[in-house]
Every structure is written in structure tokens, then in C-alpha cells.
Amino acid sequence: MKRIMACILCLVMVLSLVGCDVKTRDDVEGGSGGEKLDTIPLTLLGQAANQKDLNVIRDLLTQQGFDVTINMQPDRGAYMSQIDAGNYDITFTGWASISGNGDYATRGIFHSTGDSNLGGNIHDERLDALIDEACTLVYDESVPLYAEIEQILLDEAYIAPLYVGRKVEAYNKDVVDGDTIGIYAARAEPFERYDFVDESKRDTDTLYLWQIENYYTTADPIKSNENSTYMTNFNMYTRLVNFNDQMEITTESALSRDYAVAEGNQAFYFILRDDIYFAKVENKQAVDSGERVGGEDVIFSLGRAKDKDSVPNHATYSLHENIDTIELVTDLTELENTQESSTGKTVLESLSDTLDVPVAELVGDKNSADNASGKYQVIKITAKTAFPQMLNFLGHHSGSILSKSQVEKINTYDVATYDPAVDVAYGDPATVSEGPDYDNQIYASGPYILVYKNDYELVMQKNPNYMVGTEFEPKIKNITIKMIPDKDSALSSLRSGELHVLNSLDVEKDSVVEGDAKLALKTTPGIAEKHLIFNTSEKSVCSDVNVRKAIQNAMDQSAFIAVYENSVFPATSPINTIMDTGCTFSPDPSLVQGYLKQYFDSKK
């Protein structure tokens, strides 16, 4: 198995004013002992699940004389409605660079065309140019550009960095085999790894997992980039590549047996497995559809992933917009005559490194593939420009492979005139919800399929024809995800045996888990970074950079570290959690009043 490093994880434990010399502390007049300034009212937007953070932010700003009103929304849907309406001055949010690369840490949230650029608030031509250039470079060459991007974000106070969290797995060690519990910073936990202590219960008992979101928005992986679907959809579809628990790109439990990057880092080749079949649901049971996952499905799925207009409310197009073409290679001489980028081998030699049976023939029809006799399918993806980070995005859940025939059968509507009240789209949550509209039409290429959902749980079953006989064949037949929006209630459910694995835990509850003889805990520094984003429109006072810098410097990161009992770490930006740029940032509350004085002076 060939792996390449997807990122370097470098969490900044102690901040100093060295490195790339981020200049967010310009000389300013005034200070904490200066003249009293007028009060600035601020609306702080956030979600109920983040109430603790919102309270800390409010208190830090109130100490500096801001008049803060918290606009707290119950869930992400309501939160995004407030973003779209512009009903905020600052919002608590965050970003986890789950594909482990610089482009993911920047493009979606800071590029002016980014699909996660909240309200389109950040529109800076310098950032756009740097992001577009950095993605064409290999890792070492890209680091200085990402450092420059980070510096602009801080200098212009486009973000106010807060902290980086940890990743946790608490579990019932009497039920779940601890050796099958991993902590994956760059992907959702792979369900196919889980196993019971008592293996005889694999087909009879249910493994109970948890998510804090009490809703599920879509089974179409390109239409959601949020937590409510992340764990479910990641395990419902396969991808060309995956990430392991070291944040390295791998073909473990992926559709590809191997891959090769051609010289110039613009063309990528993938040799496909022939032992993955789509699962479907009949009578609320997972069954084999009889349809093999193959090249035509890859071309279809990635084609729609890169097309902003392929579906209504496309949420992840910016991750794949650098893809130019996706095609099947049927001429073996192309592989023989193309050099691999780093080894000096031909692409054919590189693709053959891990094969049990050498390539004898390349076939176009997925049903003609027979790896045991040397018949393979090979997919070639060509980027618009050199794009070494392509592999990272293909491991993202939006790179999931869907059934071409099934999706085309369902999505017969006109995207331009799509009406959710009339048109039924592939992955519509109503079609998998218990009730009169239940009509499960999902075809799952991954190890599990969502059988049905209700207001309390997501019920999944093993794909009966997924890598059968290999180490990646799912072990447990039935997995149910309990939707419990309160963390304390979820912990109580873990302790009572209603849950078996808990993937989030406040640090003050560690002692509860450690004091329970049947529970165990695994933790690791995470890559999820939390920050404030500003409403830079003219309707908000945060359109002024001095106000933004005042708020940025009011965010004393030690307050968050104290509240979370030293389980979180100072943040600089989403970039710094995966890449050591050398940049550091220390908010300085003593500068706040000086920045505010500059703001008020400019209004005279």
C-alpha cells in the first residue's frame, strides 16, 4: 500500500511574537487607561450547542465596553438563515481541514468564490490570487504562500482566532473491542473497523453510536458539508482514496487498489477494485443491488461534484473545481509511456506495485473487470493546472462514488426550476424518514447504508457485498446512530449502556469516564479550529477594520483554555492546525481601546 503524507500536524502550544512577524499590533493611541469611549452594540451569532463559547466571547467583549446581544440559534439550518439575512456583527464558527491540505483550509472559507465563505464576507483579491497560486505547488513550495495568506487574515482581522480542540472517543470497553477504536483527525470514524468484544454478536446485536445534531439533511454527499450528515454519508459511500489515522492518504477500504501521479502533478491515475457492489434497501433491510461500482460511476460522481450547477444547493463544488476531465483509460500503452512524478517509474509500474495479479488488459465496461484474471479499470483525472493537492480532495466525503444509473433515474427535475415541495431529489431526507413519504432510494457504495431515520436515530446496516473476504469487509451488521443534542444526556446514555461509543466529551467529564470501570477514553489533539468571522457589510460596524482589530485583540485565548481546563490550544488560523507556517498570533486586550479610539476618531 502506498501512502503519502497529507499534511504535517503542528499545533502551536506556546505563542510568541516570532515567526512570520504577523503585524496585528500596530501602534495605536489610547489603551485600557485612556478616555472612556462610546459603547458599540454588537450582535453575536451562534448555535445553542456552543453556548459555553458564546458566553466567554460575550464576557470578554463586555469587559472592553461592548454592548453584546447573543443571537443563539437552535441548529445549523436556523443559524445559516441568520447568516444569509445578515443578522449579526460577529459569529462563532470554526473549520476542520479534514482533507489535510492547505487549499481545503483556505479556499472554501476565504476565497471570494468559496462555498463556505459565510455570506460572502471575505472578498480580497490578494487572498484569491495567493490561494489560486498555492494550490499549484507541492507541499514545501506552498508553505510560504500559506504563511502569507495567514498573515493577511490576521492583519486585516478577517478572523479572530480562538482555539484548537481535541478529538475524543469514549467507549464501553465491555462491549466494543478497544483495538478497533481509532481517532481519525481527517475523516469520520470508519464503521467497518468497529467490532464487538464478543464476535458472536456481530450479526445479532446493534452497535450504538452518537451525534449531537438531531437532524439529517441529505444523503447526497455533495449537498452537505456539515456534521449532521458527515459520519453517516462518509460510511455510506466509498471514494477513490481515503485517509488513515495518521492523516496520510491511503487506498485502505477505498475503490482504488493503487494510484499514480504523472509527472507535472496534473494527471492522476487510479486502478479500480472489482469487489465493491452497491447496496440498496428492501423492506427496511440492506440487500445487494447486484450492481458493481465501477468507472462509469466515478466519472459521473466526480463530474457532478465539480459542477456547481449539477444540483440545487451544491455545498462542496469549490473542492473539485480544479478538475478538468475524468475518463477511463483503455489503452495500456498510455500507462507504459507516462512517467510517474516522483519515482521515475512508469505509471503502469507504479499502479502495479501492490497488485496480486499483473495488468493484462484495461476494460471500459465495469462488468467486464476481473482482477483475478488481470482485467482492470483505470480512471484518469486531469486537473486544469498542476494541482498536487488533488488527492486530498478525492478523499473528502464529497468525492464519494454514487450509482450513475440510480441517481439519473431519480434526479429527473430541472435544476434551474427545482422546487423541493414538488421535486424529489436523490438523498431527500423525507424518503428515508419513517412515515408516509418513506421511499428509500439510496444506492450505497460504502460499507454501510442508511436504512431509515426518525426523530431520534439513524439506522444503518452493513452492505452485504462490500469487499467480501477482505480485511475491509464490515464486521458488525447493525449500527444505529442516536441523535442526542445534549452532551450530558449523551454521556448518561453511554454510562447506562444505551450508547457504546461517544465521539465528543467536555474535558470536565473525563473523570466521569475514567471513574467508570466499564468505560475507556482515547484522546488526541484535533484539527478543528474555532474563530470569529465578521459581518463586513456596510450594515455592520465590523465593516471597519479598527473595530475588527479591537474585537480580535479582546479575544484573550487564555480564557478559553481555562474554561476547557487546558484541553484546548491557542489558535492562529485553520491553516496552522495542519501546516507549520511559522506564523503566530497573541491577542492583546490592552490594545482594544486604542483601536476603538481610531474608529471613533475616523467618524468625527
Side-chain angles (χ1 to χ4, degrees), residues 1-9 99-101 137-139 186 241-252 258-262 265 267-270 340-343 350 353-354 387-395:
M1 189 74 64
K2 178 172 55 180
R3 303 173 179 173
I4 64 173
M5 284 299 297
C7 67
I8 296 177
L9 181 61
S99 66
N101 61 310
L137 304 176
V138 295
Y139 181 87
V241 293
N242 273 321
F243 296 95
N244 64 16
D245 56 1
Q246 300 300 310
M247 293 184 69
E248 299 166 333
I249 293 173
T250 177
T251 54
E252 294 176 357
D258 210 339
Y259 63 87
V261 183
N265 297 305
F268 303 78
Y269 294 85
F270 304 85
E340 207 267 342
S341 64
S342 59
T343 64
S350 184
D353 280 346
T354 59
F387 190 48
Q389 300 181 43
M390 173 76 76
L391 293 168
N392 298 77
F393 288 129
L394 295 176

Side-chain angles (χ1 to χ4, degrees), residues 98 107 180 221 224 256 426 465 491-492 507 551 559 566:
I98 54 176
R107 182 175 299 278
T180 68
S224 175
S256 299
Y426 178 85
N465 205 351
L491 178 56
S492 295
V507 65
I551 295 170
N566 297 308

Side-chain angles (χ1 to χ4, degrees), residues 220 223 312 410-411 413 418 423-429 431 441:
D220 190 336
K223 294 179 68 174
I410 296 169
N411 285 0
Y413 57 82
Y418 171 74
D423 300 315
V424 176
Y426 178 85
D428 188 327
T431 64
Q441 300 173 330

